[in-house]
Amino acid sequence: MNFNTKKTESNNKFNNIDDNKKRRGRPKNDIGIARPSTKKRGRPRKNPEKPPKPVGRNGRPKTTKEILEEEAIAKKQAKEQEKLVRQEALTAKQIEDKLKRERKIKSRIERKRMQSDEYSEYYFGAPREGHNFFTVKRLLLFLLIVAFASSSFIVVGWYKRTTLTERKMKELASKVVLIDTKEGSSESSFRYTINFQELKSMNADAVAYIIIEGTDIKYPVMQTTNNEYYLSHDIDKKSNECGAIYMDYQNDKRVTDKNTVIYGHNLKNGKMFADIEKIASGELGNDVNIEIYTPEKSMRFKVFSAYTTIPEEFSVNTEITEKDYDQYVERLKSKSEKEFVGKPEKSNQIISLSTCDKTGNQRVLVHAELEDIE
């Protein structure tokens, strides 16, 4: 009994040791319990925990080559991802800039449209919805200006050409038309003589000269192989819309046919055959003489018929026979719109002057019969 008591006391002493006092290498975690130390002797490691080895296929550890390849792939993917992000950011910025530009342009257009609408509303009335009225007006104004400039250019050019032609005719008349000094003499009833030598030196196609008293008609008469050439050529054979006075190509240039036809333009400035209308309207009276001069003779014709007709009914016969002459002359006289003193005689010859009216839609014809010849 005493032995057991002593043993118990020794155990109590051991258990009563201060908790703060620890034996080396044997810390006490709990009161009355001593555990062996887990601290290893020597210098402690910086990274005591080792990272787990990467595992490859089939559960084996990855080789260094595989690890480097995976790192390279990861870096490449990271770069591509970064590039994609930058592109998306750039695209978004471009879209935003484009939208800004479109808004700016739209705002500018809208501002100009509003200004033009206000201008057009002030000057031309309220514009229609969705329609820039001012722009249409401006376009019409531009077209009118162009048309006016073009027409002015044409008119000025035409005026210059007609003025030049008339001046040329006056110069020609001063050279070839000579006034007879024996006016009133019984030797001749014709006041003029024509210098055909001078006239033919200018143009060999000149076959006659026509003068109508009381008018501006005092021109040389041309003749060629057709009736179109001198419609657009002057006496110098130069292209000219005023043309020249010319005889029908089917007629004898010596004016010996039963009906000799002479053509000419009706110019708006009153030149060429424009005064033919004065005869048809009766402005020159009912006694009108037409003088025709050729290198061989001088002839005077007296008007007996003058009228206006449409182109569909226009016809001039240059080949009249002796048998049909009287009937043809009577038909021409019946068409006359005025009464003239000329009284055609049987088996005589006539001349016919043809031109267009001022509108260019109708034909004016004057017929005169031979009264005197020298």
Side-chain angles (χ1 to χ4, degrees):
M1 288 298 292
N2 294 333
F3 175 80
N4 290 336
T5 304
K6 290 181 180 181
K7 188 177 180 180
T8 302
E9 291 176 356
S10 62
N11 289 337
N12 290 336
K13 290 179 180 181
F14 179 78
N15 290 335
N16 291 330
I17 297 174
D18 190 2
D19 292 337
N20 296 327
K21 294 180 181 180
K22 297 180 180 180
R23 292 182 180 180
R24 184 176 180 181
R26 299 182 65 185
K28 285 185 178 182
N29 293 333
D30 296 325
I31 299 175
I33 298 174
R35 292 182 181 181
S37 175
T38 58
K39 186 176 180 182
K40 294 183 178 181
R41 297 180 179 273
R43 190 174 181 180
R45 294 183 178 182
K46 293 182 179 180
N47 298 319
E49 294 183 0
K50 291 183 179 181
K53 292 183 179 181
V55 180
R57 295 178 182 179
N58 301 323
R60 64 176 178 78
K62 290 183 179 180
T63 64
T64 305
K65 184 178 179 180
E66 290 177 345
I67 294 172
L68 292 175
E69 288 178 354
E70 289 182 357
E71 289 179 355
I73 293 172
K75 288 181 181 180
K76 186 176 180 181
Q77 291 178 351
K79 286 182 180 180
E80 290 179 353
Q81 186 67 23
E82 184 180 357
K83 183 178 179 181
L84 183 62
V85 171
R86 285 201 304 269
Q87 287 180 349
E88 290 179 354
L90 182 62
T91 304
K93 189 175 185 306
Q94 289 176 346
I95 293 173
E96 186 178 359
D97 292 342
K98 184 178 179 181
L99 292 175
K100 285 182 180 179
R101 287 196 301 271
E102 289 179 355
R103 286 195 295 268
K104 188 175 181 180
I105 293 171
K106 186 177 180 181
S107 176
R108 188 185 305 151
I109 293 173
E110 184 66 19
R111 186 166 59 253
K112 287 184 178 180
R113 188 190 68 79
M114 292 178 63
Q115 291 175 354
S116 62
D117 288 347
E118 291 175 359
Y119 185 86
S120 59
E121 182 177 2
Y122 180 78
Y123 286 101
F124 309 110
R128 297 177 182 177
E129 184 178 356
H131 181 68
N132 196 333
F133 198 62
F134 174 65
T135 303
V136 175
K137 283 288 185 179
R138 185 163 53 188
L139 178 61
L140 292 176
L141 181 61
F142 174 74
L143 293 177
L144 287 174
I145 292 173
V146 171
F148 177 76
S150 301
S151 60
S152 300
F153 178 78
I154 294 172
V155 170
V156 170
W158 175 85
Y159 177 77
K160 286 183 178 180
R161 289 190 293 273
T162 54
T163 304
L164 182 62
T165 301
E166 184 60 23
R167 187 185 306 152
K168 190 183 298 182
M169 290 294 102
K170 288 182 179 180
E171 292 176 357
L172 176 66
S174 65
K175 292 180 180 179
V176 303
V177 179
L178 306 176
I179 299 177
D180 195 345
T181 56
K182 298 179 180 179
E183 185 178 356
S185 173
S186 59
E187 295 181 1
S188 176
S189 60
F190 294 91
R191 295 181 56 196
Y192 304 99
T193 57
I194 308 299
N195 187 349
F196 277 97
Q197 185 177 0
E198 180 72 20
L199 183 58
K200 284 185 173 293
S201 67
M202 299 178 183
N203 191 338
D205 290 342
V207 296
Y209 205 95
I210 182 171
I211 297 176
I212 302 178
E213 292 292 341
T215 69
D216 291 333
I217 298 175
K218 190 181 288 186
Y219 300 107
V221 180
M222 306 294 152
Q223 187 186 45
T224 187
T225 57
N226 58 73
N227 288 340
E228 286 76 35
Y229 182 80
Y230 282 107
L231 279 172
S232 57
H233 291 79
D234 58 17
I235 61 172
D236 292 331
K237 294 187 176 182
K238 294 181 180 179
S239 179
N240 191 332
E241 62 184 1
C242 298
I245 307 301
Y246 63 96
M247 186 184 296
D248 195 291
Y249 77 100
Q250 301 177 88
N251 284 126
D252 190 332
K253 62 181 180 180
R254 296 171 297 176
V255 193
T256 58
D257 293 325
K258 281 295 184 180
N259 184 21
T260 299
V261 184
I262 300 175
Y263 305 95
H265 282 303
N266 183 353
L267 300 183
K268 293 182 179 181
N269 63 351
K271 304 303 176 183
M272 292 297 177
F273 264 7
D275 285 342
I276 294 296
E277 284 192 297
K278 293 182 180 180
I279 300 175
S281 64
E283 187 177 339
L284 299 180
N286 60 352
D287 188 2
V288 182
N289 294 322
I290 301 173
E291 294 181 355
I292 301 293
Y293 297 87
T294 67
E296 297 83 15
K297 55 191 174 183
S298 302
M299 296 173 286
R300 180 180 293 108
F301 294 81
K302 192 171 285 292
V303 175
F304 68 89
S305 177
Y307 55 91
T308 301
T309 185
I310 58 177
E312 291 75 13
E313 296 180 0
F314 169 73
S315 64
V316 177
N317 190 356
T318 60
E319 299 177 356
I320 305 173
T321 62
E322 290 280 350
K323 180 180 179 181
D324 299 332
Y325 176 78
D326 294 340
Q327 185 179 358
Y328 180 73
V329 170
E330 286 297 325
R331 185 160 61 87
L332 295 180
K333 191 173 183 178
S334 65
K335 289 184 178 182
S336 181
E337 298 171 355
K338 300 290 179 180
E339 188 71 25
F340 295 94
V341 299
K343 295 180 180 181
E345 297 179 3
K346 294 182 179 181
S347 301
N348 211 338
Q349 70 180 79
I350 65 174
I351 61 168
S352 299
L353 309 183
S354 174
T355 188
C356 59
D357 66 350
K358 291 180 179 179
T359 64
N361 299 323
Q362 294 182 314
R363 297 290 180 269
V364 181
L365 294 171
V366 171
H367 305 282
E369 189 175 36
L370 180 62
E371 184 185 51
D372 194 9
I373 184 172
E374 284 186 4

